[in-house]
Amino acid sequence: MKEWIKDIIFALIVAIVIIQFVKPTIVRQSSMEPNFHDNDYLFVSKQAYRFGEPKRGDVVVFESELQQENGDDKLLIKRVIGLPGETIDIIDEKVYVDGTMLEESYTMDGTTYGDIHELKIPEDEYFCMGDNRDVSIDSRDPAVGCVDKEKFVGKVFFRVLPFSG
């Protein structure tokens, strides 16, 4: 019986430690296709940006001002495209950062719709977009806008399920 209690206590301690560093999340939309699909189960590192800064290309989860049906703030999963102080333009369905066109092989169809000209990203904020730009509600939409670093839950670092893809 003593061994059994020790095992339970050890498991609880491990679970608490994991919860402090990792947030499991499930993709609920198609805005990150073709890389992440509806019902993909992901692990998010809650400590990824505690000592470092988000980088262009990171896939992040953040709290938005959008509301879920139950009234809670909606978590979004998007890719970091623009960094603080940079200027974003979307011209002829292509994304430019500080005048240089991004090569975005990770997008669904290689096109980005929107009318953004010389958007200067504020300090401590990031411009984030989904990989499936046709259906993504992201920083192009005023309801989301640039994302304050404080709103980041963390960086996606591992897809648990499905095992393939």
Side-chain angles (χ1 to χ4, degrees), residues 9-154:
I9 291 172
F10 179 74
L12 285 172
I13 291 170
V14 168
I16 290 169
V17 168
I18 288 173
I19 289 169
Q20 292 300 311
F21 293 96
V22 176
K23 176 176 181 48
T25 192
I26 298 174
V27 177
R28 292 289 180 207
Q29 299 289 325
S30 60
S31 71
M32 286 303 289
E33 290 180 357
N35 301 295
F36 300 98
H37 300 272
D38 192 33
N39 292 321
D40 280 2
Y41 193 82
L42 310 173
F43 281 163
V44 176
S45 170
K46 293 166 53 174
Q47 302 297 319
Y49 303 126
R50 188 174 181 119
F51 302 107
E53 297 297 318
K55 294 176 179 47
R56 187 177 346 276
D58 286 357
V59 177
V60 298
V61 173
F62 59 89
E63 298 170 3
S64 72
E65 300 296 321
L66 304 175
Q67 300 291 303
Q68 296 183 50
E69 290 177 14
N70 65 6
D72 291 344
D73 288 344
K74 189 173 189 177
L75 293 178
L76 299 179
I77 175 174
K78 305 296 176 194
R79 187 176 302 274
V80 174
I81 301 299
L83 307 175
E86 293 180 335
T87 301
I88 299 289
D89 291 285
I90 298 177
I91 302 168
D92 296 329
E93 301 176 357
K94 299 293 181 196
V95 178
Y96 295 82
V97 176
D98 290 339
T100 301
M101 186 178 81
L102 292 182
E103 296 296 327
E104 298 186 291
S105 60
Y106 44 78
T107 63
M108 183 71 143
D109 62 8
T111 60
T112 302
Y113 299 102
D115 189 28
I116 296 179
H117 299 286
E118 298 183 11
L119 172 69
K120 178 90 168 177
I121 302 170
E123 195 66 32
D124 292 327
E125 293 187 14
Y126 296 82
F127 192 87
C128 301
M129 288 194 286
D131 293 348
N132 186 358
R133 306 279 167 82
D134 285 348
V135 299
S136 181
I137 297 173
D138 51 38
S139 289
R140 295 171 293 170
D141 188 316
V144 176
C146 291
V147 182
D148 191 297
K149 184 180 172 185
E150 295 294 317
K151 296 284 188 177
F152 282 17
V153 173

